[in-house]
C-alpha cells in the first residue's frame, strides 16, 4: 500500500474531547471518527487492527474446539421475559418496537438467544459438550460514554456459550476458556491478568475478569506482584485434558488478584507486604459459570444417560474486541504515538523515501515494497512529497513496529536503515538483509510467512 493512495486522515492537534491516551491517539492517527456519543465509525487503519484482533480471537477459539455462529443484533423481548432478565437489566438495554408493536431489544449480550437455539436443536447428552460463539456488534446505553472505544455504547465483542451435562463438565469448559484467553491476549502483546470478579447482570458464582494494568483503567485492582511474572508462552495444551486445563487455572489464579468489587482486605494482608500491589486495570474479557440459571427457566434440557430430562449447565465467555484496541494502546505507546505489537500491527513495516522523485531511491523503495509483500507481509510505503520530518512523525504516530528508511546517501553505500519503533534502535543493512530480518521477526506471528532460506 502506498500512503499517497491510502485514506489516513491524521490530525496534528489533539481533539479537546479526548481524555485518555488511547482516545487521543486513535483520533490523531485517523483510526476512528465519532458519529454520536459513544458511537464511532472505524476508518481504514483502525478497521485493519480490529480485523487483526478478531482473527486472533477466531483462531484461538477454533484451537479450543469452539464453533462460530452469527446471531441477529435485534432480539425478541419475549426470550428475555422467559429468563426473567427483561425488566431487571436496567436502562443500559435499548428497547424498541417494530411496526407490529412487537417488543425488541438491541443485543447487549445473548445468553437467552443462544439458549433458544440450543433447546431447538439439541436433545441428547450425546451431543454434549458444545460451545458456540460469535463476534458481533452490541449496544449498551451507557449513561456517560467516554474514553473513546474503551467505554462506548456500541462495541464489537466475542461472546461464547458452553453447554454441558454436569457442573464438572461445565467447569472444565470454564478452565478451557481461561487457557484460550491467556493464549489470545499474549498473541496480542498483552499481559491480561485473570482476577476474581463480580458477575453483575450475567449471574453466577464463578467468574474471572481479565485485566490489563494501566493508569487509565476503570477498575481498582489488588494483586500479588508474582502474578505479573507468569507467562503462558508456547505451551502445547490438550484442551480435552481436564487435569491439564485445571493446572493452568490453578497456576494463574492461585495468587491473590481481585477487582475492587470482590477485594478481601484480610486475604490481601496475607500476601507478603513487598509483593502487595494496588493499581488500575482495563477489563478486556470475562468468563462465567452460571449453571442452570438460563436452562431451567427456558427449558433447555437434554435426555440424560438414564433417559430422564436434565437441564444443561452453562457458562458465558466474552472478549471486548473493539475495547482491546484501546487497551493495547494504553499499554504500548510513547510521547510520539502508538507502538503496535507485531501480532496486531495494521502494517508490518513502514517504508520512508527520503527523496521522493530520485530515480534510485524510488526504485529501491519499490523493490523493498514488492519483496516484503512477496513474503506475505503488508508494507506501507510513504511515497508522499513530504519533508522527512513529517514522514517520520506520521510513522511514529501510527505506530508500525518497524521502519525502513531509504535515501540516496545510504544507497551509495548499498544500505538502508531498519529502525525499531519500540526501542528506537537503528541498523544499516543491505536491502535484501533488511527484508530477511523482517521475515525472521514476523515468523512467530505469521504461520504462513514465506521465510527466505
Amino acid at each position: 500500500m502506498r500512503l499517497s493512495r491510502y485514506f489516513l486522515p491524521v490530525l496534528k492537534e489533539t481533539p479537546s474531547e479526548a481524555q485518555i491516551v488511547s482516545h487521543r491517539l486513535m483520533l490523531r492517527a485517523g483510526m476512528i471518527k465519532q458519529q454520536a456519543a459513544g458511537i464511532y465509525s472505524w476508518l481504514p487503519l483502525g478497521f485493519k487492527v480490529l480485523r487483526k484482533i478478531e482473527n486472533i480471537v477466531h483462531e484461538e477459539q477454533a484451537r479450543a474446539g469452539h464453533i462460530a455462529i452469527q446471531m441477529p443484533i435485534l432480539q425478541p423481548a419475549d426470550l428475555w421475559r422467559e429468563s426473567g432478565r427483561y425488566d431487571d437489566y436496567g436502562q443500559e438495554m435499548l428497547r424498541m418496537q417494530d411496526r407490529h408493536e412487537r417488543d425488541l431489544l438491541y443485543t447487549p449480550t445473548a445468553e437467552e438467544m443462544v439458549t433458544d437455539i440450543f433447546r431447538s436443536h439439541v436433545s441428547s447428552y450425546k451431543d454434549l459438550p458444545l460451545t458456540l460463539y460469535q463476534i458481533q456488534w452490541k449496544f449498551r446505553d451507557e449513561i456517560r460514554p467516554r474514553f473513546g472505544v474503551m467505554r462506548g455504547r456500541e462495541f464489537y465483542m466475542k461472546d461464547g456459550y458452553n453447554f454441558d451435562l454436569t457442573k464438572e463438565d461445565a467447569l472444565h469448559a470454564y478452565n478451557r476458556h481461561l487457557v484460550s484467553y491467556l493464549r489470545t491476549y499474549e498473541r496480542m502483546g498483552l499481559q491480561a491478568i485473570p482476577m476474581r470478579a463480580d458477575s453483575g447482570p450475567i449471574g453466577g458464582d464463578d467468574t474471572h475478569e481479565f485485566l490489563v494494568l494501566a493508569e487509565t483503567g476503570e477498575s481498582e485492582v489488588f494483586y500479588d506482584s508474582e502474578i505479573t511474572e507468569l507467562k503462558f508462552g508456547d505451551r502445547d495444551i490438550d484442551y480435552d485434558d481436564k487435569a491439564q486445563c485445571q493446572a493452568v487455572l490453578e497456576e494463574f489464579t492461585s495468587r491473590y488478584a481481585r477487582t475492587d468489587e470482590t477485594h478481601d482486605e484480610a486475604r490481601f494482608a496475607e500476601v507478603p507486604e513487598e509483593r502487595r500491589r494496588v493499581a488500575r486495570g482495563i477489563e478486556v474479557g470475562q468468563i462465567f459459570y452460571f449453571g442452570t440459571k438460563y436452562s431451567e427457566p427456558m427449558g433447555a434440557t437434554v435426555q440424560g444417560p438414564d433417559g430422564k430430562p436434565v437441564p444443561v449447565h452453562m457458562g458465558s465467555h466474552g472478549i471486548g474486541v473493539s475495547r482491546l484496541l484501546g487497551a493495547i494502546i494504553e499499554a504500548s505507546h510513547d510521547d510520539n504515538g502508538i507502538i503496535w505489537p507485531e501480532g496486531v500491527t495494521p502494517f508490518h513495516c513502514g517504508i520512508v523515501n527520503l527523496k521522493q522523485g530520485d530515480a534510485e531511491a524510488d526504485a529501491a523503495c519499490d523493490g523493498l515494497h514488492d519483496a516484503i509483500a512477496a513474503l506475505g507481509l503488508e508494507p506501507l510505503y510513504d511515497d508522499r512529497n513530504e519533508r522527512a520530518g513529517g514522514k517520520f512523525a506520521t510513522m511514529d504516530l501510527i505506530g508500525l513496529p518497524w521502519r525502513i528508511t531509504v535515501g540516496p546517501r545510504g544507497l551509495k553505500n548499498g544500505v538502508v536503515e531498519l529502525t525499531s519503533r519500540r526501542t528506537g534502535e537503528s541498523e544499516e543493512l543491505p536491502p535484501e538483509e533488511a527484508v530477511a530480518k523482517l521475515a525472521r521477526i514476523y515468523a512467530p506471528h505469521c504461520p504462513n510467512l514465506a521465510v527466505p532460506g
Side-chain angles (χ1 to χ4, degrees):
M1 176 59 68
R2 293 172 180 266
L3 192 49
S4 62
R5 300 177 187 172
Y6 197 58
F7 181 55
L8 186 69
V10 297
L11 305 176
K12 292 184 179 179
E13 302 296 328
T14 299
S16 58
E17 73 270 19
Q19 300 175 37
I20 62 172
V21 168
S22 59
H23 193 192
R24 290 198 296 268
L25 291 178
M26 289 184 76
L27 289 171
R28 285 199 56 216
M31 298 178 69
I32 55 174
K33 181 189 182 302
Q34 181 170 312
Q35 304 296 160
I39 299 174
Y40 294 87
S41 288
W42 290 77
L43 307 184
L45 195 74
F47 187 63
K48 277 181 73 68
V49 182
L50 190 70
R51 283 287 175 257
K52 292 283 183 78
I53 291 173
E54 180 182 4
N55 288 340
I56 290 174
V57 174
H58 275 303
E59 288 166 8
E60 292 304 328
Q61 288 298 297
R63 188 195 298 265
H66 306 157
I67 302 168
I69 62 173
Q70 191 71 70
M71 292 180 275
I73 294 173
L74 294 180
Q75 296 188 33
D78 286 345
L79 288 176
W80 286 62
R81 292 189 176 109
E82 280 189 65
S83 71
R85 278 208 301 175
Y86 185 69
D87 294 322
D88 295 341
Y89 200 87
Q91 291 186 323
E92 286 188 357
M93 180 189 289
L94 183 62
R95 297 166 169 87
M96 66 202 79
Q97 288 187 331
D98 65 14
R99 68 175 65 195
H100 302 291
E101 298 186 353
R102 289 176 292 219
D103 293 328
L104 301 169
L105 58 100
Y106 196 117
T107 297
T109 183
E111 282 80 7
E112 284 81 1
M113 182 164 285
V114 77
T115 302
D116 179 55
I117 291 170
F118 177 88
R119 70 183 178 184
S120 300
H121 299 287
V122 180
S123 58
S124 171
Y125 75 96
K126 295 178 182 178
D127 296 320
L128 303 179
L130 177 65
T131 295
L132 303 174
Y133 80 95
Q134 65 173 352
I135 300 178
Q136 181 206 55
W137 289 102
K138 295 179 175 61
F139 188 91
R140 292 176 189 163
D141 200 1
E142 291 272 359
I143 189 170
R144 282 186 298 274
R146 55 202 168 126
F147 304 154
V149 301
M150 296 284 286
R151 179 170 267 183
R153 292 193 294 165
E154 186 181 59
F155 54 96
Y156 203 45
M157 179 180 172
K158 173 262 166 180
D159 48 317
Y161 308 90
N162 66 282
F163 301 88
D164 291 277
L165 183 63
T166 66
K167 179 177 181 178
E168 179 187 6
D169 292 340
L171 288 177
H172 171 56
Y174 185 95
N175 297 351
R176 191 173 66 240
H177 279 84
L178 181 135
V179 173
S180 71
Y181 279 22
L182 290 171
R183 286 186 57 95
T184 298
Y185 296 126
E186 284 195 12
R187 284 186 61 186
M188 297 175 189
L190 290 173
Q191 182 177 45
I193 302 171
M195 297 192 178
R196 178 67 64 178
D198 181 69
S199 63
I202 303 294
D205 298 324
D206 291 273
T207 180
H208 281 86
E209 284 180 355
F210 291 78
L211 289 106
V212 174
L213 299 177
E215 293 179 1
T216 51
E218 72 269 63
S219 301
E220 188 173 33
V221 297
F222 304 80
Y223 63 97
D224 181 338
S225 63
E226 276 193 348
I227 201 166
T228 60
E229 300 169 10
L230 299 176
K231 296 287 185 290
F232 188 82
D234 296 326
R235 307 183 201 187
D236 186 16
I237 294 290
D238 180 356
Y239 283 101
D240 292 328
D241 188 323
K242 291 184 178 181
Q244 211 175 9
C245 292
Q246 178 67 24
V248 175
L249 174 104
E250 291 172 0
E251 177 185 355
F252 281 84
T253 63
S254 59
R255 296 162 183 82
Y256 192 91
R258 296 193 175 206
T259 63
D260 52 358
E261 295 168 322
T262 60
H263 178 53
D264 184 329
E265 195 62 47
R267 290 192 60 184
F268 190 50
E270 297 172 5
V271 178
E273 186 175 359
E274 68 274 12
R275 299 201 325 245
R276 286 181 222 151
R277 299 287 187 273
V278 181
R280 309 294 299 179
I282 300 168
E283 182 199 342
V284 291
Q286 191 163 2
I287 56 177
F288 302 84
Y289 162 71
F290 44 67
T292 59
K293 173 180 171 66
Y294 297 93
S295 57
E296 283 191 341
M298 296 186 69
T301 63
V302 295
Q303 187 180 59
D306 59 1
K308 295 179 180 179
V310 181
V312 292
H313 286 254
M314 294 174 58
S316 66
H317 317 276
I319 289 180
V321 175
S322 54
R323 168 178 270 244
L324 272 166
L325 275 85
I328 291 169
I329 294 170
E330 292 292 333
S332 186
H333 68 273
D334 61 16
D335 291 342
N336 295 321
I338 302 164
I339 306 173
W340 291 116
E342 279 83 357
V344 297
T345 180
F347 294 95
H348 298 98
C349 177
I351 301 171
V352 171
N353 189 340
L354 294 181
K355 194 171 184 181
Q356 196 69 39
D358 178 87
E360 188 177 5
D362 290 354
C365 288
D366 287 339
L368 283 164
H369 181 282
D370 293 346
I372 294 168
L375 295 173
L377 298 176
E378 292 182 279
L380 179 63
Y381 172 22
D382 191 344
D383 61 338
R384 298 172 300 163
N385 289 312
E386 173 77 58
R387 61 183 178 83
K391 291 187 175 187
F392 290 144
T394 297
M395 286 294 174
D396 284 348
L397 174 61
I398 66 176
L400 307 188
W402 296 91
R403 184 187 76 226
I404 296 178
T405 305
V406 180
R409 184 179 304 173
L411 290 175
K412 285 180 181 177
N413 298 319
V415 297
V416 296
E417 186 178 70
L418 180 65
T419 304
S420 164
R421 174 70 179 87
R422 186 167 299 279
T423 68
E425 295 177 356
S426 298
E427 61 179 321
E428 292 185 337
L429 298 167
E432 62 276 9
E433 289 186 22
V435 173
K437 182 165 183 176
L438 284 175
R440 293 192 297 272
I441 290 167
Y442 281 105
H445 306 282
C446 307
N448 299 320
L449 193 65
V451 181

